[in-house]
Amino acid sequence: MKTTRQSVREATQLYRMCLLDGRVQEDRVRLVVQKVLQSRRRGYLTMLRHFLRLLKLEYERHAAKIESALPLPDDLRSRVQQELANVYGTGLTALFTQNPVLIGGMRIKVGSDVYDNSVRSVLATLAKSFGIMNTN
Amino acid sequence: MADLLKELEAQIAGLTTTKARQNVGVIREVGDGVARVEGLTDAMLNEMLDLGHGITGLALNLEETEVGVVVLGDYTQLQEGDEVRTTGKLLQVPVGKPLLGRVVNTLGEPLDGKGPIESNVFYPVEKLAPGIIRRRPVRQPMQTGIMAIDAMIPIGRGQRELIIGDRSTGKTTICIDTIISQAVLNKAAEAAGDKDFRPLYCIYVAIGQKQSNIARIINVLEQSSAMPYTIIVASPASDTATNQYLAPFAGAAMGEWFMDNGMDALIIYDDLSKHAVAYRQVSLVLKRPSGREAYPGDVFYLHSRLLERAARVGETYGNGSLTALPLIEPQAGDVSAYIPTNVISITDGQIYLETDLFYQGVRPAISVGLSVSRVGSAAQLKAMKQVAGQLKGDLAQFRELAAFAQFGSELDAKTQAQIDRGKRIMEVFKQPQYTPIAVETQVAVIWAVQNGYVDDVAVERVKEFQLKLTEYLNTRKPELLGKIAREKALNATLTAEVKAAIDQFKETWR
């Protein structure tokens, strides 16, 4: 019997095989998925699900999600991208979105790192300093 | 109004608008008090995490793509997709004297409704035990006030003495008696203005106990005026497994503060069997591999690192100490089970309580043969060592001879005398709960027993003899008791005085 843990371990192995110099090679990913689908081994769906999760996490590590309350002007966008490249290196995918909940300011998320300078975040910090816990 | 404006201005001024980098993760799944969080690449082991809604979590499993977080609060408020933030702080609890007299939970938050705890000193819950350079041998006694323990299984300050016994054999009672004894000694020294006396502060950690039991203990301690010297860390049975697992570590942190500041403290873990069960539960929901009896592989390390934090440190490091009394409740007296053997091997001796003795009316039901103190005898008062040195051997011999005598065989006079003496010693060691006996009184009573003053007293009247003798010494000869307490050893003059006092009492005894 194939356990979930085994499938997860194999998915991790396959994921590592798709890396070259720490970056995912798309052609290798396609090949791996194709081969797995062809083989239809026991537990292949669990394995592919975990494989997909690892790829998503990898994508998020190299994607900058830039949220702002209002659309950002082009010059500011390019400045933000430039600053992010200085910190995280090139190869970062920038994704600009609008989020009115922020009220004002900007929130940037790259992998696990968050730079939140939105009005909403400042208000939340202020509320916390007054001992108000639930601001959601 | 002006004050309010100033207050608001001060709070707003403290806020900074420049945003530093935050490390966040997202809850992938949550259940059984455990959340699995994706991200949090900078999380440290045992770091406190902000889960939002005012809930704190503890990072326990750092895996390749996610972090296993135990939730220290109501996990039902959390949802998949919620953001989790690192705090950069390890789990810590308030420590210091403001905690004395208080009942707190695992996080050091008050449970007694006596207002907030005014402590601004915090200690991490997980802390490395003092190393070999800082340690000194156990030399100072810790008087439990229980005659059988102080005479035969003495405990020193900085020792770890296991109390093991089946359910309802009086394990907790021994601990409560010890706390009361310390309070009595502390108060007496305070009243006498004794500058050399080192007070002993107590921390009672209730792990997985019934709330009613904890309430009863608090009540007993309050009635005995022992609470001002005691901290109670309560993690009752209704608490989460995580809180039960962390409670003894929080208590140890509170005790370490006393040790680090040159004071003496005693910590009672009631009990480590339930603690191991709570840790097993946490480990299983974190999907850690399980071993014997489904306990995780590091259950030995769990208890060894906890008990190693009890120590006596040298003069250079403040000369403080932390004594630990862990409790273990084996199933049906099976001391060879996994957790009991682990803790037996870690501690510096054990006090074994027997169900049979308990029901025979021998209370505390200490089994002399199976109980041992590996380092405490070095800490025993010299006077006590002089009078009680042979007691353990005498009682062991008595047990053996008494077993033979059951067959009804003819006994020679010497053997009969040994059995008679043994029966009287057993009677003397019976002691009602919550009535600690001062060490000088113990010395005088044991001296009387060892020198044959009780031999002509009927076994059923031995207790009465002891009580009357104690009363006589306390009311008529308090200066003699004071002398024993001060000199701490029986020299020829003092022995003669004790003899004269007991002779005098014996004349009046009917």
Side-chain angles (χ1 to χ4, degrees):
Chain A
M1 205 182 101
K2 205 176 177 97
T3 61
T4 310
R5 194 169 284 189
Q6 236 175 319
S7 303
V8 167
R9 202 165 37 231
E10 283 174 4
T12 313
Q13 279 170 354
L14 288 177
Y15 168 74
R16 286 197 183 127
M17 282 163 62
C18 298
L19 295 176
L20 185 69
D21 297 331
R23 301 303 299 263
V24 172
Q25 302 299 302
E26 287 187 17
D27 51 339
R28 288 192 191 184
V29 171
R30 285 198 183 89
L31 187 69
V32 162
V33 174
Q34 197 187 349
K35 291 278 181 199
V36 171
L37 285 174
Q38 274 172 1
S39 72
R40 286 183 168 263
R41 296 170 57 191
R42 186 177 287 173
Y44 78 105
L45 273 178
T46 315
M47 192 166 73
L48 280 181
R49 262 190 227 113
H50 187 71
F51 184 70
L52 182 66
R53 193 176 145 245
L54 292 173
L55 286 173
K56 266 188 193 167
L57 287 171
E58 174 62 20
Y59 171 76
E60 279 172 15
R61 267 196 290 274
H62 295 101
K65 194 180 168 194
I66 303 135
E67 289 177 280
S68 57
L70 296 167
L72 297 178
D74 289 344
D75 60 329
L76 186 56
R77 283 184 181 218
S78 54
R79 243 178 66 205
V80 169
Q81 275 179 300
Q82 185 55 50
E83 289 293 329
L84 286 173
N86 289 345
V87 179
Y88 293 95
T90 50
L92 207 65
T93 320
L95 181 70
F96 290 90
T97 52
Q98 247 179 285
N99 185 0
V101 175
L102 298 181
I103 306 169
M106 212 189 292
R107 187 180 195 270
I108 303 170
K109 186 171 187 285
V110 186
S112 295
D113 295 346
V114 168
Y115 304 86
D116 195 347
N117 204 9
S118 64
V119 174
R120 184 175 174 260
S121 151
V122 176
L123 287 175
T125 317
L126 191 63
K128 213 173 179 179
S129 78
F130 284 111
I132 307 163
M133 284 299 176
N134 205 345
T135 54
N136 294 331
Chain B
M1 188 67 183
D3 287 346
L4 177 68
L5 288 174
K6 271 184 194 167
E7 199 182 307
L8 289 176
E9 274 172 7
Q11 272 180 310
I12 293 165
L15 298 169
T16 168
T17 48
T18 49
K19 274 286 148 187
R21 183 173 67 96
Q22 283 185 317
N23 198 253
V24 298
V26 175
I27 295 180
R28 192 163 68 84
E29 58 178 64
V30 62
D32 298 325
V34 166
R36 305 195 80 81
V37 182
E38 261 174 9
L40 289 179
T41 48
D42 289 353
M44 299 180 284
L45 190 69
N46 283 327
E47 183 178 349
M48 285 166 90
L49 301 172
D50 177 11
L51 299 171
H53 312 278
I55 301 170
T56 306
L58 183 67
L60 274 190
N61 267 16
L62 303 183
E63 291 163 20
E64 199 177 357
T65 57
E66 61 187 22
V67 176
V69 180
V70 287
V71 184
L72 305 169
D74 183 12
Y75 69 88
T76 53
Q77 289 187 48
L78 303 176
Q79 285 180 338
E80 187 190 336
D82 281 357
E83 269 191 1
V84 180
R85 286 177 172 76
T86 54
T87 61
K89 285 189 284 189
L90 296 177
L91 185 63
Q92 54 186 13
V93 286
V95 293
K97 283 196 172 177
L99 281 148
L100 288 170
R102 305 299 302 267
V103 184
V104 295
N105 66 8
T106 300
L107 299 176
E109 295 162 346
L111 295 174
D112 49 9
K114 291 181 185 168
I117 288 165
E118 308 290 337
S119 176
N120 47 15
V121 188
F122 288 82
Y123 261 32
V125 163
E126 287 276 3
K127 204 162 171 262
L128 276 182
I132 45 173
I133 302 296
R134 286 183 68 194
R135 283 174 192 259
R136 284 294 169 273
V138 175
R139 286 268 183 272
Q140 299 154 325
M142 192 215 49
Q143 304 297 346
T144 62
I146 300 164
M147 209 192 257
I149 296 176
D150 290 343
M152 294 184 294
I153 319 142
I155 303 170
R157 294 188 181 197
Q159 189 177 340
R160 299 150 305 168
E161 182 81 4
L162 167 68
I163 300 175
I164 185 166
D166 272 14
R167 61 185 174 80
S168 306
T169 48
K171 300 183 293 298
T172 305
T173 307
I174 286 182
C175 298
I176 302 305
D177 280 356
T178 309
I179 296 177
I180 294 171
S181 171
Q182 303 320 313
V184 170
L185 293 171
N186 292 352
K187 264 187 281 181
E190 269 173 27
D194 187 352
K195 292 268 187 291
D196 296 331
F197 182 77
R198 295 175 62 87
L200 197 107
Y201 301 99
C202 303
I203 299 144
Y204 177 80
V205 187
I207 312 153
Q209 301 287 318
K210 283 181 269 187
Q211 306 249 30
S212 57
N213 269 356
I214 301 173
R216 186 178 53 80
I217 288 165
I218 295 167
N219 194 28
V220 169
L221 294 177
E222 273 172 352
Q223 280 178 354
S224 321
S225 311
M227 272 309 275
Y229 306 98
T230 311
I231 302 169
I232 294 183
V233 182
S235 183
S238 59
D239 218 343
T240 61
T242 314
N243 282 348
Q244 290 182 35
Y245 144 59
L246 290 169
F249 292 95
M254 292 169 193
E256 273 170 340
W257 181 85
F258 289 101
M259 180 170 70
D260 292 347
N261 287 280
M263 288 175 265
D264 293 332
L266 162 75
I267 186 160
I268 292 154
Y269 303 113
D270 192 0
D271 62 75
L272 289 190
S273 309
K274 290 193 182 76
H275 180 238
V277 169
Y279 186 59
R280 174 170 65 183
Q281 193 177 326
V282 171
S283 298
L284 290 174
V285 291
L286 280 170
K287 294 186 177 141
R288 288 181 178 176
S290 56
R292 183 174 159 189
E293 293 176 31
Y295 287 107
D298 64 343
V299 75
F300 183 90
Y301 177 56
L302 172 82
H303 288 151
S304 66
R305 75 172 189 265
L306 173 69
L307 292 167
E308 273 294 286
R309 287 165 75 172
R312 191 176 98 72
V313 294
E315 281 80 4
T316 333
Y317 303 96
N319 198 23
S321 75
L322 179 63
T323 313
L325 293 182
L327 273 72
I328 285 281
E329 188 182 299
Q331 299 297 308
D334 182 15
V335 288
S336 60
Y338 189 25
I339 303 302
T341 46
N342 277 358
V343 184
I344 285 171
S345 69
I346 298 163
T347 48
D348 307 312
Q350 70 276 343
I351 294 170
Y352 184 73
L353 303 175
E354 263 180 28
T355 316
D356 289 351
L357 283 175
F358 188 84
Y359 290 114
Q360 281 166 25
V362 181
R363 293 173 197 184
I366 298 168
S367 165
V368 179
L370 292 174
S371 302
V372 65
S373 175
R374 289 182 200 125
V375 293
S377 58
Q380 205 173 23
L381 217 68
K382 199 180 172 200
M384 183 59 95
K385 220 186 274 187
Q386 283 171 310
V387 296
Q390 298 297 315
L391 262 179
K392 212 169 175 230
D394 287 352
L395 265 185
Q397 238 173 5
F398 157 70
R399 281 282 170 80
E400 206 174 307
L401 293 171
F404 270 115
Q406 275 184 340
F407 296 110
S409 52
E410 290 261 324
L411 298 170
D412 61 279
K414 197 185 163 204
T415 312
Q416 190 59 51
Q418 270 182 320
I419 291 175
D420 289 345
R421 175 71 63 84
K423 279 180 187 167
R424 281 160 181 81
I425 296 172
M426 292 287 284
E427 281 300 309
V428 166
F429 282 154
K430 285 182 187 171
Q431 192 174 330
Q433 60 182 357
Y434 316 139
T435 50
I437 303 172
V439 68
E440 54 273 18
T441 313
Q442 292 183 24
V443 169
V445 170
I446 296 171
W447 189 91
V449 175
Q450 289 291 67
N451 288 280
Y453 283 88
V454 192
D455 290 353
D456 56 347
V457 178
V459 174
E460 56 274 14
R461 289 196 71 199
V462 168
K463 211 65 216 165
E464 189 190 341
F465 176 89
Q466 185 193 346
L467 288 175
K468 294 273 185 207
L469 174 62
T470 308
E471 199 183 302
Y472 170 80
L473 291 170
N474 281 324
T475 53
R476 306 276 295 275
K477 302 283 177 193
E479 67 288 345
L480 174 64
L481 294 180
K483 219 185 252 184
I484 299 173
R486 272 193 310 278
E487 293 187 16
K488 295 182 172 69
L490 290 181
N491 51 30
T493 334
L494 202 52
T495 311
E497 279 182 52
V498 172
K499 187 178 183 310
I502 294 170
D503 280 335
Q504 214 175 338
F505 167 75
K506 201 73 196 286
E507 281 168 24
T508 62
W509 163 254
R510 291 284 174 272

